[in-house]
Amino acid sequence: HTTWNAPGNGPHEVQHFNPVREPGCHNDETCYLANIPLGNGSAFSTADDMFLFLNDILHCNVIPSSCCELMQKPDFYDGDTIRSFGWDMSPACIPAGLSERTIYHTGWTGQSIFVDPMTGICGAVFTSRKGNWDEAKNGRKRIMEAIIKTASK
Protein backbone atom coordinates (compact mmCIF):
# COMPACT_ATOMS: atom_id res chain seq x y z
CA HIS A 1 0.00 0.00 0.00
CA THR A 2 1.51 3.30 -1.09
CA THR A 3 1.12 6.36 1.10
CA TRP A 4 1.78 9.94 0.08
CA ASN A 5 2.87 12.29 2.83
CA ALA A 6 2.64 16.03 3.20
CA PRO A 7 5.76 17.91 2.07
CA GLY A 8 8.21 18.95 4.74
CA ASN A 9 11.07 17.83 6.92
CA GLY A 10 10.76 14.62 8.81
CA PRO A 11 11.05 10.85 8.65
CA HIS A 12 9.00 10.58 5.45
CA GLU A 13 11.17 12.78 3.23
CA VAL A 14 12.53 11.26 0.04
CA GLN A 15 15.78 9.42 0.59
CA HIS A 16 18.14 11.94 -0.96
CA PHE A 17 16.98 14.56 1.57
CA ASN A 18 16.59 12.42 4.67
CA PRO A 19 17.77 8.81 4.44
CA VAL A 20 15.89 7.68 7.56
CA ARG A 21 12.40 7.63 6.05
CA GLU A 22 10.28 4.52 6.49
CA PRO A 23 10.35 2.02 3.59
CA GLY A 24 7.25 2.32 1.41
CA CYS A 25 6.60 5.96 2.28
CA HIS A 26 7.46 8.66 -0.20
CA ASN A 27 7.12 12.40 -0.17
CA ASP A 28 5.86 13.63 -3.54
CA GLU A 29 4.18 17.01 -3.27
CA THR A 30 2.27 16.69 -6.55
CA CYS A 31 0.86 13.27 -5.65
CA TYR A 32 -0.04 14.45 -2.16
CA LEU A 33 -1.92 17.53 -3.38
CA ALA A 34 -3.69 15.74 -6.24
CA ASN A 35 -5.06 13.00 -3.96
CA ILE A 36 -5.58 10.75 -7.02
CA PRO A 37 -3.21 8.40 -8.89
CA LEU A 38 -1.21 10.41 -11.41
CA GLY A 39 1.18 7.84 -12.84
CA ASN A 40 4.24 9.77 -11.71
CA GLY A 41 6.38 9.27 -8.68
CA SER A 42 7.18 6.03 -6.96
CA ALA A 43 6.11 2.63 -8.19
CA PHE A 44 5.67 0.34 -5.19
CA SER A 45 4.96 -3.10 -6.55
CA THR A 46 5.91 -6.74 -6.47
CA ALA A 47 8.01 -8.26 -9.26
CA ASP A 48 5.02 -10.42 -10.29
CA ASP A 49 2.69 -7.41 -10.56
CA MET A 50 5.30 -5.37 -12.43
CA PHE A 51 5.67 -8.17 -15.01
CA LEU A 52 1.86 -8.33 -15.38
CA PHE A 53 1.92 -4.58 -16.10
CA LEU A 54 4.83 -4.80 -18.56
CA ASN A 55 3.28 -7.78 -20.36
CA ASP A 56 0.01 -5.93 -20.65
CA ILE A 57 1.79 -3.06 -22.37
CA LEU A 58 2.96 -5.67 -24.89
CA HIS A 59 -0.39 -7.43 -25.34
CA CYS A 60 -3.04 -4.83 -24.33
CA ASN A 61 -5.30 -7.27 -22.49
CA VAL A 62 -6.32 -4.83 -19.74
CA ILE A 63 -4.83 -1.53 -20.87
CA PRO A 64 -6.84 -0.20 -23.83
CA SER A 65 -4.97 -0.63 -27.12
CA SER A 66 -5.25 3.12 -27.76
CA CYS A 67 -3.25 3.73 -24.57
CA CYS A 68 -0.68 1.07 -25.46
CA GLU A 69 -0.24 2.72 -28.85
CA LEU A 70 0.38 6.11 -27.19
CA MET A 71 2.98 4.56 -24.89
CA GLN A 72 4.76 2.84 -27.78
CA LYS A 73 4.77 5.72 -30.28
CA PRO A 74 7.54 8.34 -30.15
CA ASP A 75 6.03 11.82 -30.02
CA PHE A 76 8.77 14.06 -28.60
CA TYR A 77 12.20 14.66 -30.10
CA ASP A 78 14.89 16.97 -28.73
CA GLY A 79 18.39 16.14 -29.90
CA ASP A 80 19.16 12.64 -28.60
CA THR A 81 16.08 12.66 -26.35
CA ILE A 82 13.08 10.70 -27.63
CA ARG A 83 9.94 10.16 -25.57
CA SER A 84 6.56 8.56 -26.01
CA PHE A 85 3.56 9.19 -23.76
CA GLY A 86 5.03 8.63 -20.30
CA TRP A 87 8.12 6.71 -21.42
CA ASP A 88 11.70 7.32 -22.52
CA MET A 89 12.82 5.97 -25.91
CA SER A 90 16.24 7.64 -26.12
CA PRO A 91 18.81 5.30 -27.68
CA ALA A 92 21.47 5.84 -25.01
CA CYS A 93 19.69 3.78 -22.35
CA ILE A 94 18.16 1.01 -24.48
CA PRO A 95 19.86 -2.26 -23.46
CA ALA A 96 21.76 -4.14 -26.17
CA GLY A 97 19.56 -6.82 -27.71
CA LEU A 98 16.44 -4.64 -27.70
CA SER A 99 15.06 -2.63 -30.62
CA GLU A 100 14.84 1.13 -31.12
CA ARG A 101 11.10 0.85 -30.31
CA THR A 102 11.92 -0.06 -26.69
CA ILE A 103 10.20 2.06 -24.04
CA TYR A 104 11.75 2.33 -20.61
CA HIS A 105 11.84 4.16 -17.32
CA THR A 106 15.03 4.55 -15.31
CA GLY A 107 13.79 5.31 -11.82
CA TRP A 108 15.42 7.73 -9.43
CA THR A 109 15.76 5.38 -6.47
CA GLY A 110 17.00 2.26 -8.20
CA GLN A 111 14.43 0.62 -10.45
CA SER A 112 14.42 0.35 -14.24
CA ILE A 113 11.75 -1.18 -16.45
CA PHE A 114 11.89 -1.99 -20.16
CA VAL A 115 9.34 -3.08 -22.77
CA ASP A 116 10.27 -3.91 -26.37
CA PRO A 117 7.22 -4.46 -28.61
CA MET A 118 9.45 -5.68 -31.48
CA THR A 119 11.19 -8.52 -29.62
CA GLY A 120 8.47 -9.13 -27.03
CA ILE A 121 11.05 -8.77 -24.26
CA CYS A 122 10.18 -6.89 -21.10
CA GLY A 123 12.03 -6.70 -17.83
CA ALA A 124 12.48 -4.99 -14.52
CA VAL A 125 15.58 -4.43 -12.44
CA PHE A 126 14.92 -3.50 -8.80
CA THR A 127 17.82 -2.16 -6.75
CA SER A 128 18.38 0.44 -4.04
CA ARG A 129 20.49 3.29 -5.32
CA LYS A 130 23.10 5.11 -3.30
CA GLY A 131 25.41 7.67 -4.83
CA ASN A 132 25.63 8.73 -8.45
CA TRP A 133 22.33 8.41 -10.38
CA ASP A 134 23.92 8.06 -13.86
CA GLU A 135 26.31 5.38 -12.62
CA ALA A 136 23.43 3.42 -11.06
CA LYS A 137 21.23 3.85 -14.17
CA ASN A 138 24.00 2.50 -16.40
CA GLY A 139 24.58 -0.37 -13.99
CA ARG A 140 20.90 -1.39 -14.21
CA LYS A 141 21.19 -1.25 -18.02
CA ARG A 142 24.18 -3.63 -17.85
CA ILE A 143 22.19 -5.99 -15.59
CA MET A 144 19.35 -6.04 -18.12
CA GLU A 145 21.82 -6.68 -20.98
CA ALA A 146 23.28 -9.63 -19.08
CA ILE A 147 19.78 -11.06 -18.52
CA ILE A 148 18.89 -10.66 -22.20
CA LYS A 149 22.17 -12.27 -23.28
CA THR A 150 21.72 -15.21 -20.90
CA ALA A 151 18.07 -15.72 -21.86
CA SER A 152 18.89 -15.77 -25.59
CA LYS A 153 21.34 -18.69 -25.24
Side-chain angles (χ1 to χ4, degrees):
H1 176 67
T2 302
T3 60
W4 301 105
N5 300 290
N9 295 327
H12 299 296
E13 278 297 308
V14 292
Q15 188 162 355
H16 56 280
F17 293 122
N18 187 343
V20 297
R21 69 175 172 83
E22 287 182 43
C25 293
H26 200 304
N27 178 331
D28 185 309
E29 184 173 8
T30 303
C31 291
Y32 176 77
L33 295 173
N35 202 29
I36 58 170
L38 297 177
N40 72 323
S42 300
F44 294 105
S45 184
T46 65
D48 287 344
D49 284 346
M50 186 58 73
F51 281 111
L52 288 172
F53 170 63
L54 298 176
N55 275 300
D56 199 55
I57 293 172
L58 285 172
H59 304 291
C60 303
N61 294 321
V62 176
I63 300 171
S65 59
S66 59
C67 293
C68 290
E69 289 169 15
L70 279 174
M71 288 188 268
Q72 296 178 22
K73 179 183 174 193
D75 66 356
F76 174 83
Y77 299 88
D78 184 12
D80 292 333
T81 301
I82 303 170
R83 294 192 60 84
S84 66
F85 185 73
W87 293 85
D88 202 337
M89 297 180 82
S90 303
C93 287
I94 295 175
L98 301 182
S99 79
E100 70 282 348
R101 296 238 351 252
T102 298
I103 60 174
Y104 63 88
H105 175 70
T106 57
W108 175 257
T109 58
Q111 66 287 345
S112 291
I113 56 177
F114 304 88
V115 177
D116 184 352
M118 299 304 290
T119 64
I121 295 172
C122 61
V125 177
F126 298 132
T127 65
S128 293
R129 179 187 63 82
K130 289 184 77 173
N132 184 286
W133 180 75
D134 282 323
E135 205 173 289
K137 174 185 71 172
N138 291 328
R140 291 190 304 272
K141 178 184 173 187
R142 288 191 303 274
I143 291 169
M144 192 65 184
E145 289 171 341
I147 292 168
I148 293 165
K149 185 176 180 180
T150 301
S152 66
K153 288 183 178 181

